Amino acid sequence: MNATTLPAEIIAFAAAVRASLRDLPADEVEELTDGLEADLAEAYAEDLARELPDPAAYAAELRGAAGLPTPEPVVKQGRLRPIVDGFAETLRDLDRSLRKSPVVAGVLDFLVTLQPAWWIVRGWAAYQVLGGIFGFEGDLLPTHPGYWILMLVLVAGSVAVGLRRWRPWVHALIIVGNIVAAIATLAAMASIPTNAEVWQAWQEADQTYYDDSMAAGPDGTGVWLNGSEVTNIHAYDAKGQPLNGVQLFDQDGKPLATSVPGGNGCLVPSPVDEDGCQTFGAWVPTQLETGATVWNVYPMKMAESTEDEPTTPIAGAVPQDRPAPFVKVPALMRAEPVDADAPKVADPAKKEAEKTP
């Protein structure tokens, strides 16, 4: 200690002593420490090798000399502090035990390098937990700008938590939060539907739509013409050629079904009886790429059935086309487009008439 540093040390020491006495009234502190810097400077000027005592102990001596009581020490530790400290120590012991194996130590070191990615996942998991609690979101990623902002804020907070250095008990709470986030992440990933589940849901929704749109009622729901049921529809193109696999919908986009869904007919008429049937047949629906079976694809087909169960195709029966009423129908009349840039061809008869006087 030298003369140039002594005053600064003494000033700092006196300030620390006053800080230890801050529980006393200001006038008592002033009385106890009046002239403290000057007394210390004079005392230490005779022996520069002496070290200043502990400020708290010096303040306690001043209290005792003045007959003032010593304040009760403030216990800063809460009731949970020993539990949290014990938990943190257990984790440290576990880490030391695992790192005795070089392989495990290498794996743990690699996982440490993945911490930034985990911070992002942890923020996403917090978003999923909040969404599950308040019911505002259930998708893998947000679908609303406000939800995106919330998730990004949570991710930023998670990264900030990961970058800070915390006290042991706070670090233990963060570890507990990590465990909760990991469980939430696994639960969220488990709830994501697989491709098969999505496909099945699509099929069920598609089938329900068609079933609801074409449910036959007692009032004769379906296609009727002049009071007679329409059991099949044959479409022809502009050239009059028959078409296959035509899907028909009404003005509202509902499938247009005839009067035969789930019904039966005659696959082969009886050659003897004009009204009889030699081979019974059941109308069959068409299957879409979604797996749904629909009744609005024309011309419809029929599969062989039995007289006992006419509406159920027999096992292995192949759906057969029904004969069209016409091989071909008249084509549409098309007006030739007029090309304004095409050269005009003079009418010879008109030109000859113009020459006649």
Side-chain angles (χ1 to χ4, degrees), residues 74 84 181 196-197:
V74 179
V84 174
E197 292 172 339

Side-chain angles (χ1 to χ4, degrees), residues 60-72:
E61 293 178 3
L62 293 178
R63 288 174 185 272
L68 298 176
T70 302
E72 294 292 334

Side-chain angles (χ1 to χ4, degrees), residues 1-2 5-6 9-14 17 39-41 43-58 61:
M1 183 180 302
N2 51 52
T5 60
L6 180 60
E9 293 181 358
I10 290 177
I11 292 173
F13 175 81
V17 171
D39 294 342
L40 291 173
Y44 281 85
E46 300 176 357
D47 187 1
L48 298 180
R50 292 174 58 187
E51 293 185 358
L52 293 171
D54 180 67
Y58 191 86
E61 293 178 3

Side-chain angles (χ1 to χ4, degrees), residues 74-92:
V74 179
V75 179
K76 297 183 179 180
Q77 294 184 353
R79 295 180 179 180
L80 296 179
R81 181 63 181 273
I83 299 176
V84 174
D85 288 346
F87 178 71
E89 183 63 28
T90 301
L91 292 178
R92 287 192 292 269

Side-chain angles (χ1 to χ4, degrees), residues 99-113:
R99 288 186 177 275
K100 292 180 180 179
S101 170
V103 176
V104 177
V107 172
L108 293 177
D109 292 338
F110 173 73
L111 293 178
V112 170
T113 62

Side-chain angles (χ1 to χ4, degrees), residues 228-316:
S228 299
E229 293 181 335
V230 175
T231 58
N232 207 354
I233 298 175
H234 293 268
Y236 295 80
D237 62 12
K239 296 181 180 180
Q241 300 298 327
L243 296 176
N244 263 325
V246 178
Q247 299 189 55
L248 298 183
F249 299 86
D250 68 2
Q251 70 282 351
D252 298 321
K254 295 182 180 179
L256 189 63
T258 62
S259 305
V260 298
N264 66 289
C266 185
L267 187 63
V268 180
S270 172
V272 179
D273 186 359
E274 182 177 351
D275 297 329
C277 184
Q278 179 176 330
T279 304
F280 289 89
W283 295 102
V284 294
T286 304
Q287 188 173 28
L288 300 180
E289 63 176 351
T290 61
T293 54
V294 297
W295 295 89
N296 68 323
V297 179
Y298 301 99
M300 293 177 60
K301 297 183 179 182
M302 184 179 288
E304 182 178 352
S305 62
T306 62
E307 185 176 4
D308 295 334
E309 296 183 357
T311 60
T312 303
I314 63 176

Side-chain angles (χ1 to χ4, degrees), residues 183-207:
I183 296 174
T185 301
L186 294 176
M189 297 303 293
S191 65
I192 298 175
T194 62
N195 290 338
E197 292 172 339
V198 172
W199 186 258
Q200 182 179 1
W202 187 12
Q203 290 177 338
E204 292 176 353
D206 202 0
Q207 184 65 59

Side-chain angles (χ1 to χ4, degrees), residues 21-33:
L21 299 172
R22 61 180 176 271
D23 59 297
L24 299 176
D27 55 343
E28 291 187 5
V29 175
E30 180 63 26
E31 183 179 353
L32 290 175
T33 59

